Amino acid sequence: MAEKIKRIGVLTSGGDAPGMNAAIRAAVLTAIHFGVECVGIRRGYTGLISGDMLPLTAEHVAGISKHGGTMLYTARSEEFMTPEGQNRAADNCRFMGVEGLIIIGGDGSFRGAQTLADRGIPVIGIPGTIDNDIGCTSYTIGFDTACNTAVEAVDRLNDTMQSHERCSVVEVMGRCAGHLALNVGIATGATVTLIPEMVIDFETDVADRIRSARLSGKTNFTVIVAEGADMPAETVAAKIQEATGVDTRVTTLGHLQRGGPPLVRDRVTASRMGYKAVELLLTGTYNRIVCMRGDQIVDYDINEALAMTKGLDVDACLMQDALMSGQD
Ligand code: ATP
């Protein structure tokens, strides 16, 4: 039987996501509950390389779940991409007495975790990214809050577009995946949604849809463009104006989507994942990624998890297509 771990470390890495704080809190309080010490490492792998560690008590994490961002700060580390940086980080873990490390971040952060596991550091990953683009899990912390933030912004834009009979082209985040854009498009009743997973034919996918919505009596239009789509939002807007004559405005929501108080789904999922991560370490189950399958929290071996891929929800795409063709 594995010897019980005495000190757990936790860090956040890559882009921040609302709900990361709830995961940190859950990890700290679960560790305390089982009589284990918990330390935080600031600024992701950058802090692991420099040994920037702080002890975390219940007081440190009191009331943090309601805040977006991450109390541990986050960073992207070039140095950690090198074997020298990875060796230094692993040595520091041992030096700091960190016997198990919880990494909250995206798949890049998990690839970093894999290099620590290869160096004998027990790791557990928790998926935290607003993009929901991690293959092994159906849900990532922050996605719901980011979708809602974007939907609220588009609803506000729609009010003014309706008054002025304009077209609103809104760029949403999501990196190379269209999950965020697809959900925002469905929730806001967009006329058109453009995602990275599709090859865009402007005439059929955009101009014809706006023309037919106009023929059926619509006087304002919403076009959601994922940041990774193969036609930038600015280009889409210029082409709409030229092809249809409709006064068209572009809005890039940008980092607005990353901030704000996490919604219930993110606080609860993050708490469940933080608890699970500590439970895994304390039962000697190392080098796993905590995931969501249906309503269940499960875990996969880190190498298997990183080999998994995830496509868009095909049913949701078909449904959205049907709704867009019968524009209200
Ligand atoms: P997000 O999806 O929000 O961007 P992420 O975790 O995927 O989150 P990345 O910038 O890809 O964000 O990765 C975060 C950090 O993880 C990087 O700055 C780097 O330090 C480390 N990392 C990423 N890929 C690797 C890799 N292949 N090997 C070692 N470390 C890596």
Side-chain angles (χ1 to χ4, degrees):
M1 197 177 135
E3 206 176 305
K4 190 180 166 193
I5 279 179
K6 290 179 284 304
R7 179 181 277 186
I8 286 172
V10 57
L11 62 79
T12 46
S13 170
D16 66 333
M20 282 182 161
N21 278 328
I24 296 168
R25 173 178 174 272
V28 171
L29 296 183
T30 306
I32 292 170
H33 177 76
F34 288 110
V36 177
E37 207 185 321
C38 194
V39 297
I41 290 107
R42 278 182 283 231
R43 299 179 187 84
Y45 294 125
T46 305
L48 205 54
I49 290 172
S50 64
D52 187 358
M53 178 190 95
L54 76 159
L56 289 176
T57 64
E59 274 148 39
H60 288 107
V61 296
I64 63 168
S65 296
K66 61 177 174 285
H67 299 299
T70 157
M71 67 166 287
L72 290 174
Y73 306 105
T74 186
R76 302 187 201 270
S77 167
E78 282 295 318
E79 194 179 352
F80 188 75
M81 300 289 282
T82 66
E84 295 74 24
Q86 291 154 12
N87 288 338
R88 204 164 303 143
D91 288 346
N92 261 339
C93 272
R94 281 184 270 272
F95 179 71
M96 296 188 290
V98 170
E99 294 170 314
L101 185 63
I102 297 171
I103 290 131
I104 308 167
D107 52 1
S109 301
F110 296 162
R111 287 190 199 288
Q114 213 173 17
T115 69
L116 292 174
D118 292 344
R119 287 165 174 75
I121 306 295
V123 295
I124 304 289
I126 295 181
T129 163
I130 66 164
D131 304 331
N132 202 19
D133 61 348
I134 300 181
C136 58
T137 183
S138 55
Y139 189 78
T140 61
I141 297 167
F143 180 65
D144 193 40
T145 304
C147 281
N148 277 277
T149 303
V151 165
E152 189 190 336
V154 173
D155 285 347
R156 285 169 191 268
L157 286 166
N158 281 346
D159 289 345
T160 172
M161 295 302 143
Q162 180 271 323
S163 308
H164 288 271
E165 301 178 276
R166 286 176 177 149
C167 174
S168 178
V169 176
V170 186
E171 186 194 285
V172 302
M173 281 187 162
R175 296 194 90 173
C176 301
H179 305 283
L180 192 53
L182 178 65
N183 279 270
V184 173
I186 292 168
T188 58
T191 320
V192 176
T193 301
L194 302 176
I195 53 180
E197 291 81 354
M198 68 194 271
V199 178
I200 299 168
D201 176 333
F202 178 79
E203 269 306 305
T204 53
D205 296 328
V206 186
D208 282 353
R209 284 184 189 273
I210 290 176
R211 287 186 196 112
S212 85
R214 192 160 52 177
L215 278 175
S216 65
K218 236 177 128 50
T219 57
N220 67 289
F221 314 91
T222 302
V223 177
I224 305 294
V225 184
E227 65 177 334
D230 71 5
M231 190 178 285
E234 293 281 352
T235 310
V236 173
K239 285 169 91 74
I240 291 172
Q241 177 98 38
E242 192 189 328
T244 67
V246 178
D247 188 13
T248 303
R249 304 295 162 100
V250 194
T251 306
T252 301
L253 297 183
H255 289 90
L256 262 181
Q257 294 157 100
R258 288 253 198 87
L263 295 179
V264 173
R265 184 170 186 194
D266 286 319
R267 294 188 204 192
V268 173
T269 306
S271 302
R272 292 175 73 193
M273 289 182 166
Y275 173 86
K276 179 73 173 183
V278 175
E279 189 187 62
L280 289 170
L281 286 174
L282 297 188
T283 53
T285 318
Y286 301 153
N287 308 332
R288 314 286 293 178
I289 304 294
V290 178
C291 302
M292 185 153 238
R293 285 278 147 213
D295 284 341
Q296 300 297 309
I297 302 293
V298 297
D299 57 282
Y300 295 115
D301 169 78
I302 190 166
N303 297 312
E304 285 172 23
L306 280 169
M308 294 181 194
T309 53
K310 168 158 93 179
L312 279 185
D313 181 339
V314 176
D315 288 343
C317 293
L318 291 173
M319 181 269 285
Q320 198 205 23
D321 230 39
L323 300 193
M324 285 193 309
S325 59
Q327 277 298 319
D328 47 6

